[in-house]
Amino acid sequence: MNALRIPVTPFTGQRPGTSGLRKRVAVFREPGYVETFVQSLFDALPDVIGQGVARQTLILGGDGRFFNDRAIQTIIRLAAANSVSRLIVGREGLLSTPATSALIRERKAFGGIVLSASHNPGGPDGDFGIKYNVTNGGPAPERVTEAIYRRTQAISEYRTLDTPDVALDRNGSVKVGETDVTVIDPVTEYAGLMERIFDFDRLRDLLRGGFRLRFDAMNAVTGPYAKEIFERRLGAPPGSAVNAEPKPDFGGLHPDPNPMHASSLIATLAGPEAPDFGAASDGDGDRNMIVTRAGAVGPSDSLAILAANAHLVPWFKDGLPGVARSMPTSSAVDRVARKLGIDCFETPTGWKYFGNLLDAGKIALCGEESAGTGANHVREKDGVWAVLFWLNILSVRGESADAVIADHWARFGRDFYVRHDYEEIETERANRLIDGLRRRIPELPGARFGEFEVASADDFAYTDPVDGATSAHQGVRIGFADGARIVYRLSGTGTEGATLRLYLERYEPDPARHTLATSAALAPLAAVSVALADIGGITGRNKPSVVV
Ligand code: VG1
Ligand code: CO
């Protein structure tokens, strides 16, 4: 079948951010927008990684958000016109991000495309996104995303076929042009992988033995995964997974698993007859929030607790070679690594920076403060996996989650932590604020702000210890003499204006103070963070829009 060559003029702004290309749905619906980006991806790969998609297998799926169904058909035609030999597509166009990563690895595919804007809102007025994962199953590294972006600026035509839509509602194979399009169950292989990682017999005893789990899929992609794994395979009572039907508009929910957007889960865990353990995940199933009767567990703490208890899980029975965290994530996991005598790497924000460390076997577990935890079983963060990890630990220790957390703080001390987001501020003001901080870096050490004295200040730069790739300007870090820290950086996943993120942390060794409210423990540092960067003066905002 002859490919059609359709002329296009480049769109501005098709530059992938922290995790793929994200824009408003209305932007993605502009004629040729999806085609231009995906053709640019296909065009860029041969130069940047030495091989293109022709005669290769690709995995394709998405989180089911509005426009997923349209974009996926467009991409099937483009892939066929670009001589992809086999496309493996999740039924109904669904595949979670970690399941896509698992499939790329298991099926030895060349790469995969995930249609998702992750934790961003969905629906016709919400966001859409496209991300590309490479052969190791992980997000395309920066040199690849930059090559794609360069191509989007020079592209003059895309290739497609004039073929009808492919039915995605049942498993099986059809031909589109010369390409074999195989529709598969999105859950089966992922669930099989989980069975090889965790002690499913123990988990069955736990969940059938009266321990009550509430998993909130937030009407996003993990519903079918949770139903199959927690309810069918592990025997949790039906209804343990709620909001478990993926919906194009996420049922009006904002699928960001934090205490603000998953407030009903927090309320259920705090209420009478509360379940023993709560969890939620995001649009594409790579984030997790863990909720106990005492509230949400900080993601940085969760990472540290998983690291300290990893040996209780079959997959990690021989221990961890090393761990990693993104730079703004708290040092709680560093303390665990020190005690275990293993390396702890500090990477820029975004999962793509963990891939090389995992591939090289330098680390087996990693995480981010933004509710992302993952390991060497895939090359993405993994929400359902993190919940199983916690349950496996609880089933072995026979303690409540709150007891495990209190014990962890008693052993390691507590790193109080909070993130303040100022969303949708004008880009010019956001840049002015960060530029101002950067200019002041040399003069900050030694400066005093109330009870805090600056010990170090820098603009975080990273050199990948495996391939030597460098990434600069990854956030301004200000360290204080008592070990407290403030980080300022701009988000790379937003679609409207700029989002300023402020990350605050302070170490507390004294167990008598571990039950303090985070807001109280960090209030003096929060005041410094606002004054130091003149947030009010520059942004015109007197408080953050999100506190997590
Ligand atoms: C945010 C988080 C980052 C995460 C990224 C993708 O990026 O801070 O830790 O990896 O989202 O997560 P940024 O640039 O907006 O701070 V997901 O679940 O939205 O793919
Ligand atoms: Co996500």
Side-chain angles (χ1 to χ4, degrees):
M1 189 175 291
N2 283 335
L4 307 172
R5 291 169 176 274
I6 313 288
V8 278
T9 43
F11 292 85
T12 53
Q14 289 195 325
R15 178 181 233 146
T18 310
S19 178
L21 180 70
R22 283 188 202 178
K23 300 285 173 196
R24 290 277 196 246
V25 165
V27 174
F28 270 100
R29 285 169 113 175
E30 288 174 36
Y33 195 88
V34 169
E35 292 88 338
T36 303
F37 183 72
V38 174
Q39 185 66 54
S40 299
L41 158 70
F42 292 162
D43 289 351
L45 291 176
D47 278 347
V48 70
I49 58 178
Q51 207 170 17
V53 297
R55 292 171 297 285
Q56 303 283 355
T57 297
L58 288 181
I59 311 293
L60 175 62
D63 64 10
R65 67 178 59 221
F66 186 83
F67 198 57
N68 193 119
D69 55 348
R70 297 315 316 147
I72 207 160
Q73 298 290 345
T74 302
I75 295 172
I76 290 172
R77 284 189 270 269
L78 254 83
N82 282 274
S83 309
V84 168
S85 62
R86 186 160 188 227
L87 263 185
I88 299 176
V89 187
R91 197 173 55 243
E92 302 291 3
L94 293 179
L95 277 179
S96 76
T97 287
T100 306
S101 185
L103 278 166
I104 294 172
R105 298 169 67 80
E106 202 148 305
R107 303 279 188 127
K108 301 201 173 358
F110 179 67
I113 297 175
V114 183
L115 307 178
S116 173
S118 190
H119 63 283
N120 297 23
D125 302 320
D127 291 342
F128 192 74
I130 301 182
K131 52 185 179 177
Y132 182 68
N133 284 26
V134 294
T135 309
N136 74 351
E142 219 176 318
R143 66 190 175 85
V144 176
T145 55
E146 284 300 299
I148 298 168
Y149 174 58
R150 281 195 301 276
R151 180 64 193 156
T152 66
Q153 296 174 300
I155 190 168
S156 59
E157 61 172 30
Y158 66 83
R159 269 169 269 160
T160 187
L161 296 180
D162 185 15
T163 50
D165 284 358
V166 174
L168 298 178
D169 57 350
R170 56 188 176 273
N171 300 352
S173 288
V174 292
K175 283 272 185 200
V176 175
E178 302 292 307
T179 303
D180 173 67
V181 178
T182 305
V183 177
I184 62 160
D185 181 84
V187 178
T188 310
E189 281 161 73
Y190 176 84
L193 176 59
M194 294 303 115
E195 290 193 340
R196 298 198 291 281
I197 296 173
F198 300 106
D199 188 339
F200 267 49
D201 289 333
R202 250 182 205 285
L203 288 170
R204 263 188 285 272
D205 289 346
L206 180 78
L207 291 172
R208 288 178 182 163
F211 181 97
R212 285 162 57 226
L213 162 73
R214 184 181 178 92
F215 180 89
D216 191 335
M218 302 190 84
N219 299 317
V221 79
T222 49
Y225 296 84
K227 285 260 168 219
E228 173 65 21
I229 295 170
F230 299 125
E231 297 185 3
R232 277 179 224 114
R233 298 199 186 193
L234 292 173
S240 299
V242 297
N243 294 322
E245 189 83 39
K247 296 188 181 145
D249 65 349
F250 304 125
L253 288 181
H254 182 161
D256 188 348
N258 66 35
M260 222 174 104
H261 295 306
S263 54
S264 73
L265 178 65
I266 303 275
T268 304
L269 266 286
E273 311 269 311
D276 296 288
F277 190 79
S281 63
D282 71 333
D284 60 333
D286 54 358
R287 295 187 179 206
N288 73 90
M289 175 173 70
I290 302 299
V291 188
T292 70
R293 288 182 175 164
V297 180
S300 297
D301 281 342
S302 178
L303 173 64
I305 292 167
L306 297 187
N309 292 280
H311 59 283
L312 304 179
V313 164
W315 183 270
F316 296 118
K317 63 179 190 317
D318 299 326
L320 301 167
V323 292
R325 62 166 170 83
S326 67
M327 181 274 279
T329 304
S330 92
S331 338
V333 72
D334 305 37
R335 298 180 204 287
V336 176
R338 231 171 285 138
K339 199 161 255 183
L340 293 174
I342 58 175
D343 282 334
C344 179
F345 295 86
E346 186 177 26
T347 57
T349 296
W351 212 261
K352 54 183 169 237
Y353 299 101
F354 293 130
N356 278 348
L357 297 170
L358 290 163
D359 286 352
K362 290 182 180 294
I363 64 167
L365 177 72
C366 46
E368 297 191 278
E369 56 67 42
S370 55
T373 356
N376 55 354
H377 66 294
V378 287
R379 293 295 180 272
E380 285 279 6
K381 52 190 189 261
D382 191 343
V384 170
W385 166 90
V387 177
L388 288 165
F389 200 149
W390 264 94
L391 293 174
N392 200 148
I393 291 169
L394 299 184
S395 71
V396 176
R397 290 185 51 156
E399 292 170 86
S400 72
D402 283 318
V404 169
I405 296 165
D407 171 62
H408 186 88
W409 289 337
R411 285 176 61 205
F412 294 94
R414 178 170 184 188
D415 292 86
F416 281 104
Y417 188 87
V418 74
R419 190 182 84 225
H420 290 176
D421 290 339
Y422 293 76
E423 295 173 307
E424 295 187 22
I425 53 183
E426 282 166 41
T427 307
E428 185 274 326
R429 291 173 189 240
N431 290 336
R432 182 145 46 92
L433 188 143
I434 295 289
D435 289 346
L437 282 169
R438 279 191 187 130
R439 269 198 305 277
R440 285 169 59 202
I441 285 172
E443 72 202 42
L444 281 173
R448 286 199 77 87
F449 297 89
E451 62 190 280
F452 299 95
E453 183 186 334
V454 178
S456 62
D458 71 355
D459 188 358
F460 181 58
Y462 179 68
T463 301
D464 186 301
V466 179
D467 65 12
T470 55
S471 310
H473 306 304
Q474 297 294 325
V476 175
R477 301 192 283 191
I478 301 177
F480 297 92
D482 68 348
R485 186 180 75 154
I486 303 174
V487 173
Y488 301 85
R489 65 177 280 279
L490 299 181
S491 157
T493 57
T495 56
E496 203 66 43
T499 292
L500 170 68
R501 300 200 198 279
L502 234 91
Y503 310 83
L504 310 175
E505 70 178 284
R506 188 176 196 183
Y507 182 58
E508 179 56 70
D510 180 4
R513 296 172 59 83
H514 287 168
T515 48
L516 266 182
T518 300
S519 55
L522 293 175
L525 192 63
V528 170
S529 71
V530 169
L532 198 154
D534 189 19
I535 293 182
I538 298 179
T539 69
R541 302 278 179 88
N542 58 12
K543 60 175 187 357
S545 40
V546 177
V547 176
V548 287

